[in-house]
Amino acid sequence: MRSNHLLIATTLSLTTSGLALASNITEFPDNGSEQLARGGAWVARASDPLAAFYNPAGLAGQDTRLILNANLAFKNTCFNRIKATNDTTADGIAPGGAYPQACNEGGTFPNPQLAMTIKVNDRVGVGLALLGPSGVANTSWPEFVDGKAAPQRYLLLKANALLLTPTVAIGVRATDWLRVGASFQWGFATAQFSSASDALNTDGSPPEKNDVKATLLAKSYFIPGFTLGAIASPSTMVDIAGWFKWSAPANLTADVATYANYFRPAVANGGMDNKVVFGYSKEADCAGGTPPGPNGPICGPDKGSVKLVIPMEAKIGVRIHKPVAGADPNRRDPVSQDVWDAELDFTWANNSAFDALQIRFPSNPDGSAIIPVNGTGGKLPGNADQIHAYKDVIGVRLGGDWNALPDRLTVRGGVFAETDGQDPRYQNIDFIGAARFGMAIGGAYRLKLGKNPEKKSALEISLGFMHMFVATQSNNNPNGQGLSALGGIECNPSTNNVPGQPLCTDGRTKFRTNWPVNLGTITNALNVLNVGLAYRF
């Protein structure tokens, strides 16, 4: 192997899941069985303990209640890549030609929601919640397709994340017609992501000589945020609500494990011999006997850093409902207090703030890299930022409930639509950036535990199901612009390196390929099942 190699894993994609809500680019509407089944149209209803996160104003007037819900999300994504005309990789595909289709390999993991409302009095409610992501936190892609290095390897090979958002909230009925609330979140995340990088050889080297598999391991234990909410009830049949969310950027520490000589036929056939060279930035000697530099060890724990901006979000909604005879207007339990309800919401997410994911490693004052990639002679770049170029997204949601048997059996449904959220030049397989439309259905059954009509103790079982249709993403011009892979030398030999500058002489960011690796077509579809159990004290 004659040229430098490099790491890098994928974007820290799903670390934002569970820290934000749709229309945020990383998620779908919405955590919770009731919320999901209404297509996310819930900001004005806000009638179960998950209001602690989704609209804390709705805590005021709720009964003391404990819920445990879990999402099972099944995402199907496929990528039909085409090869850029200036791509010199010797992989058997002619420039401008099509690679075999690559699809994610499925699998799911329950994403839980645990929350409780504590009724302090008729005007004040306190909420506690522990949320997982309203997204897909674990996914795998093939490393090899038809015995050759998988065409999507530069974008993503595998993602595994544990993402939780502890939340504490309070809701107050300030007047007979106005509720207000606020919550505080303490988010934390651990994640592992794998992808490949290119060595930028210009002699037509094949992937088995040219590419490195890398796994990025990142963590953060404090990502603060808050939400504010309000619900106005100008009449007994109308609720008008607003909600706003802010979060600090996610600042994570990171380590990288690398595998040189990985994309070889022997590995494709299940073997792993000594030709695969392991490296690890967490070890003082980089796991390869690298001697310390003049200022001490070059490698070591948490040498890398990741910064991810989490977009602000806002919702407004109007809910119309028909109360049952004798309903208590101050009690927020629509299953017992309403005949039916319908809600229309509008959402906004400042996704354009997430222009790029910042990934950094130690470098010299002139910007040159210093951490070696064992087995290659290459180094980790000081700047490994990943462009996403997201756009602000607006959405509309419509949903409602019908209490077929008041205080016992409820059926619900909803729809939602969201605008396109990504410049197609930077399309990726990590998040769903295209326009989205979803349909949802569900229901709940409440089993009362006391014979006394005044006793409120009850057990409730709920289900929600959503299918999301996604517009096709395309960047099909083999001569067009796109997302470059990270590479192993500062500038391709056809350009020049300017010391101390972040760009090559052709204006390209250093440590990137001269050709895009995301050209082609991406298709997505998503199914989500939520199962819930609640106990009303």
Side-chain angles (χ1 to χ4, degrees), residues 226-263:
F226 67 83
T227 67
L228 302 173
I231 301 174
S233 302
S235 78
T236 58
M237 294 187 65
V238 177
D239 292 326
I240 302 172
W243 173 89
F244 173 78
K245 181 184 183 298
W246 176 89
S247 176
N251 292 298
L252 303 101
T253 58
D255 301 298
V256 172
T258 58
Y259 304 83
N261 305 328
Y262 187 83
F263 294 96

Coordinates of all heavy atoms in Angstrom, one line a residue, residues 226-263:
F226 N -34.4 23.1 27.5 CA -35.6 23.4 28.2 C -36.7 23.5 27.2 O -36.5 23.7 26.0 CB -35.5 24.7 29.0 CG -35.3 26.0 28.2 CD1 -36.4 26.6 27.6 CD2 -34.1 26.5 28.0 CE1 -36.3 27.8 26.9 CE2 -33.9 27.7 27.3 CZ -35.0 28.3 26.7
T227 N -38.0 23.4 27.7 CA -39.2 23.7 26.8 C -40.1 24.6 27.6 O -40.1 24.6 28.9 CB -39.9 22.4 26.5 OG1 -40.5 21.8 27.7 CG2 -39.0 21.4 25.8
L228 N -40.8 25.4 26.9 CA -41.8 26.3 27.4 C -43.2 26.0 26.7 O -43.2 25.8 25.5 CB -41.5 27.8 27.2 CG -40.1 28.2 27.8 CD1 -39.8 29.7 27.4 CD2 -40.2 28.1 29.4
G229 N -44.3 26.0 27.5 CA -45.5 25.8 26.9 C -46.7 26.6 27.5 O -46.6 27.0 28.6
A230 N -47.7 26.7 26.7 CA -48.9 27.4 27.2 C -50.2 26.8 26.5 O -50.1 26.4 25.3 CB -48.8 28.9 26.9
I231 N -51.3 26.8 27.2 CA -52.5 26.3 26.7 C -53.6 27.3 27.1 O -53.8 27.5 28.4 CB -52.9 24.9 27.2 CG1 -51.9 23.9 26.8 CG2 -54.3 24.5 26.6 CD1 -52.1 22.5 27.3
A232 N -54.3 28.0 26.2 CA -55.4 28.9 26.5 C -56.7 28.2 26.1 O -56.8 27.5 25.0 CB -55.2 30.2 25.7
S233 N -57.7 28.3 27.0 CA -59.0 27.7 26.7 C -60.1 28.8 26.7 O -60.7 29.0 27.8 CB -59.3 26.6 27.8 OG -58.3 25.6 27.8
P234 N -60.3 29.5 25.6 CA -61.2 30.6 25.6 C -62.7 30.1 25.7 O -63.6 30.9 26.0 CB -61.0 31.2 24.2 CG -60.4 30.1 23.4 CD -59.6 29.3 24.3
S235 N -62.9 28.8 25.5 CA -64.3 28.3 25.8 C -64.1 26.8 26.2 O -63.0 26.3 26.2 CB -65.1 28.3 24.5 OG -64.8 27.3 23.6
T236 N -65.2 26.2 26.6 CA -65.1 24.8 27.1 C -64.9 23.8 26.0 O -64.6 22.7 26.2 CB -66.4 24.4 27.8 OG1 -67.5 24.6 26.9 CG2 -66.6 25.3 29.0
M237 N -64.9 24.3 24.7 CA -64.7 23.4 23.5 C -63.4 23.7 22.8 O -63.2 23.0 21.8 CB -65.9 23.5 22.6 CG -67.2 23.0 23.2 SD -68.5 22.9 21.9 CE -67.9 21.7 20.8
V238 N -62.7 24.7 23.2 CA -61.5 25.1 22.4 C -60.3 25.2 23.2 O -60.3 25.9 24.3 CB -61.8 26.4 21.6 CG1 -60.5 26.9 20.9 CG2 -63.0 26.3 20.7
D239 N -59.2 24.6 22.8 CA -57.8 24.9 23.4 C -56.9 25.4 22.3 O -56.9 24.8 21.2 CB -57.3 23.5 24.0 CG -58.0 23.0 25.2 OD1 -58.5 23.8 25.9 OD2 -58.1 21.8 25.3
I240 N -56.1 26.4 22.7 CA -55.1 26.9 21.8 C -53.8 26.9 22.5 O -53.7 27.3 23.6 CB -55.4 28.4 21.4 CG1 -56.8 28.5 20.7 CG2 -54.4 29.0 20.4 CD1 -57.3 29.9 20.5
A241 N -52.8 26.3 21.8 CA -51.5 26.0 22.5 C -50.3 26.4 21.7 O -50.4 26.5 20.5 CB -51.4 24.5 22.8
G242 N -49.2 26.7 22.5 CA -47.9 27.0 21.9 C -46.8 26.3 22.6 O -47.0 26.1 23.8
W243 N -45.7 26.0 22.0 CA -44.6 25.3 22.6 C -43.3 25.7 21.9 O -43.3 25.9 20.7 CB -44.9 23.8 22.4 CG -43.8 22.9 22.8 CD1 -43.6 22.3 24.1 CD2 -42.7 22.3 22.0 NE1 -42.5 21.5 24.0 CE2 -41.9 21.5 22.8 CE3 -42.4 22.5 20.7 CZ2 -40.8 20.8 22.3 CZ3 -41.3 21.8 20.2 CH2 -40.5 21.0 21.0
F244 N -42.3 25.8 22.7 CA -40.9 26.1 22.2 C -39.9 25.3 22.9 O -40.0 25.0 24.1 CB -40.7 27.6 22.5 CG -39.3 28.0 22.1 CD1 -38.9 28.3 20.8 CD2 -38.3 28.2 23.1 CE1 -37.6 28.6 20.5 CE2 -37.0 28.5 22.8 CZ -36.6 28.8 21.5
K245 N -38.9 24.8 22.1 CA -37.8 24.0 22.7 C -36.5 24.6 22.3 O -36.3 25.0 21.1 CB -37.9 22.6 22.2 CG -36.8 21.7 22.7 CD -36.8 20.3 22.2 CE -35.7 19.5 22.9 NZ -34.3 20.1 22.6
W246 N -35.6 24.6 23.3 CA -34.2 25.0 23.0 C -33.3 24.0 23.7 O -33.6 23.5 24.7 CB -33.9 26.4 23.6 CG -32.4 26.8 23.5 CD1 -31.9 27.5 22.5 CD2 -31.4 26.6 24.5 NE1 -30.5 27.7 22.7 CE2 -30.2 27.1 23.9 CE3 -31.4 25.9 25.7 CZ2 -29.0 27.0 24.6 CZ3 -30.1 25.8 26.4 CH2 -29.0 26.4 25.8
S247 N -32.1 23.8 23.0 CA -31.1 22.9 23.6 C -29.7 23.5 23.3 O -29.5 24.0 22.3 CB -31.2 21.5 23.0 OG -30.2 20.6 23.5
A248 N -28.8 23.3 24.3 CA -27.4 23.6 24.0 C -26.9 22.7 23.0 O -27.4 21.6 22.8 CB -26.6 23.5 25.3
P249 N -25.8 23.0 22.3 CA -25.2 22.1 21.4 C -24.7 20.9 22.1 O -24.3 20.9 23.3 CB -24.0 22.9 20.8 CG -24.4 24.3 21.0 CD -25.2 24.3 22.3
A250 N -24.7 19.7 21.4 CA -24.2 18.5 22.0 C -22.7 18.5 21.8 O -22.2 18.5 20.6 CB -24.8 17.3 21.3
N251 N -21.9 18.6 22.9 CA -20.4 18.6 22.8 C -20.0 17.2 23.4 O -20.2 17.0 24.5 CB -19.9 19.7 23.6 CG -20.1 21.1 23.0 OD1 -19.7 21.3 21.9 ND2 -20.9 21.9 23.7
L252 N -19.4 16.4 22.5 CA -19.1 15.1 22.9 C -17.6 14.8 22.7 O -16.9 15.4 21.8 CB -19.8 14.0 22.0 CG -21.3 14.1 22.0 CD1 -21.8 14.9 20.8 CD2 -22.0 12.8 22.1
T253 N -17.0 14.0 23.6 CA -15.7 13.6 23.4 C -15.7 12.3 22.6 O -16.6 11.5 22.6 CB -15.0 13.3 24.8 OG1 -15.7 12.3 25.5 CG2 -14.9 14.6 25.6
A254 N -14.6 12.0 21.9 CA -14.6 10.9 20.9 C -13.2 10.2 20.8 O -12.2 10.9 21.0 CB -15.0 11.4 19.5
D255 N -13.3 8.9 20.5 CA -12.1 8.1 20.2 C -12.4 7.4 18.9 O -13.5 7.2 18.5 CB -11.8 7.1 21.3 CG -11.6 7.7 22.7 OD1 -10.6 8.5 22.8 OD2 -12.4 7.5 23.6
V256 N -11.3 7.0 18.2 CA -11.5 6.3 16.9 C -10.7 5.0 16.9 O -9.5 5.0 17.3 CB -11.0 7.2 15.8 CG1 -11.0 6.5 14.5 CG2 -12.0 8.4 15.7
A257 N -11.3 3.9 16.5 CA -10.7 2.7 16.2 C -10.6 2.5 14.7 O -11.6 2.7 14.0 CB -11.4 1.5 16.8
T258 N -9.5 2.1 14.1 CA -9.3 2.0 12.7 C -8.9 0.6 12.3 O -8.2 -0.1 13.1 CB -8.3 3.0 12.1 OG1 -7.0 2.8 12.8 CG2 -8.7 4.4 12.4
Y259 N -9.2 0.2 11.1 CA -8.9 -1.2 10.6 C -8.4 -1.0 9.1 O -9.2 -0.9 8.2 CB -10.1 -2.1 10.6 CG -10.8 -2.2 11.9 CD1 -11.6 -1.3 12.4 CD2 -10.5 -3.3 12.8 CE1 -12.2 -1.4 13.7 CE2 -11.0 -3.4 14.0 CZ -11.9 -2.5 14.5 OH -12.5 -2.6 15.7
A260 N -7.1 -1.0 9.0 CA -6.5 -0.9 7.6 C -6.5 -2.3 6.9 O -6.6 -3.3 7.6 CB -5.1 -0.4 7.7
N261 N -6.5 -2.3 5.6 CA -6.6 -3.5 4.8 C -7.9 -4.3 5.1 O -7.8 -5.6 5.0 CB -5.4 -4.4 5.1 CG -4.1 -3.7 4.9 OD1 -4.0 -2.8 4.0 ND2 -3.1 -4.0 5.6
Y262 N -8.9 -3.7 5.4 CA -10.2 -4.3 5.8 C -11.0 -4.8 4.7 O -11.6 -5.9 4.8 CB -11.0 -3.4 6.7 CG -12.2 -4.1 7.4 CD1 -12.0 -4.8 8.6 CD2 -13.4 -4.0 6.8 CE1 -13.1 -5.4 9.2 CE2 -14.5 -4.6 7.4 CZ -14.3 -5.4 8.6 OH -15.4 -6.0 9.2
F263 N -11.1 -4.1 3.6 CA -12.1 -4.4 2.6 C -11.5 -5.4 1.5 O -11.4 -5.0 0.4 CB -12.6 -3.1 1.9 CG -13.4 -2.3 2.9 CD1 -12.8 -1.2 3.6 CD2 -14.8 -2.5 3.1 CE1 -13.5 -0.5 4.5 CE2 -15.5 -1.8 4.0 CZ -14.9 -0.8 4.7

